[in-house]
Amino acid sequence: MRNVQLAVALAALVLTGCAGGGDAGGPPGTASSPPSTTLSTSPSTTGPGVPGGTPPPQSSAPPLPGAASRVPAERLDASALSDAYRREAWVSPDGRTLQVFSLAGGCKRASAEVVAQGADHVQVALVTTYYPPKDGVCTEELVSVPVDVELTAPLGARRLVLEAREQTA
């Protein structure tokens, strides 16, 4: 079953990349990249994020302002990520906002958090949070969702290390 889920997620990522219709070399949300995905759910009587309730709405981070730039491949370590994740990141012109790509869909929501910031690297966790459904039913699709994290100092020449974590609400 896990292999089927991974295959479906990879197929969705491939189709999302192909649907952009243009050069994917620009920052997310620009005319030259695939459109951002917005996922949402209807409200629940038990409240968002409450076990047995509906997970909070998922929305994509807006495009980074100004002339965002891709973190160069030689400064990006995504070796800890499974093949389901996009291995790219973007940095705002001031260097303090990073846009990375986590996974969301069904009863899972995407986020990211800065785990560590050192003189030579920044470590960011791509977090997928599972919200157990009230009726016990969730769809299985996962899509790549851009999320932002704020740094205390500009990324500069530091290496960006990406890792993934799953948790239950």
Side-chain angles (χ1 to χ4, degrees):
M1 182 65 162
R2 186 115 170 108
N3 289 339
V4 171
Q5 293 171 343
L6 182 58
V8 170
L10 289 174
L13 289 173
V14 169
L15 291 175
T16 301
C18 293
D23 172 17
T30 63
S32 64
S33 68
S36 297
T37 303
T38 301
L39 305 171
S40 64
T41 57
S42 59
S44 167
T45 57
T46 57
V50 177
T54 301
Q58 176 74 56
S59 61
S60 298
L64 291 175
S69 58
R70 184 185 290 239
V71 175
E74 63 273 7
R75 289 197 354 244
L76 179 66
D77 178 357
S79 60
L81 298 179
S82 76
D83 291 339
Y85 289 90
R86 286 174 66 174
R87 287 166 160 66
E88 68 179 276
W90 295 82
V91 62
S92 63
D94 70 0
R96 292 182 182 268
T97 303
L98 296 176
Q99 189 163 88
V100 293
F101 299 86
S102 192
L103 295 175
C107 295
K108 296 182 178 184
R109 296 296 171 258
S111 63
E113 59 188 49
V114 177
V115 175
Q117 296 186 62
D120 63 344
H121 76 283
V122 171
Q123 186 174 354
V124 174
L126 306 176
V127 182
T128 301
T129 304
Y130 171 70
Y131 291 85
K134 181 178 173 182
D135 59 7
V137 178
C138 285
T139 58
E140 296 282 333
E141 82 283 356
L142 288 175
V143 294
S144 184
V145 178
V147 292
D148 291 348
V149 292
E150 297 294 324
L151 305 177
T152 57
L155 180 63
R158 295 185 289 174
R159 188 169 50 105
L160 175 60
V161 179
L162 299 177
E163 61 185 38
R165 183 176 76 233
E166 291 190 20
Q167 63 189 25
T168 300

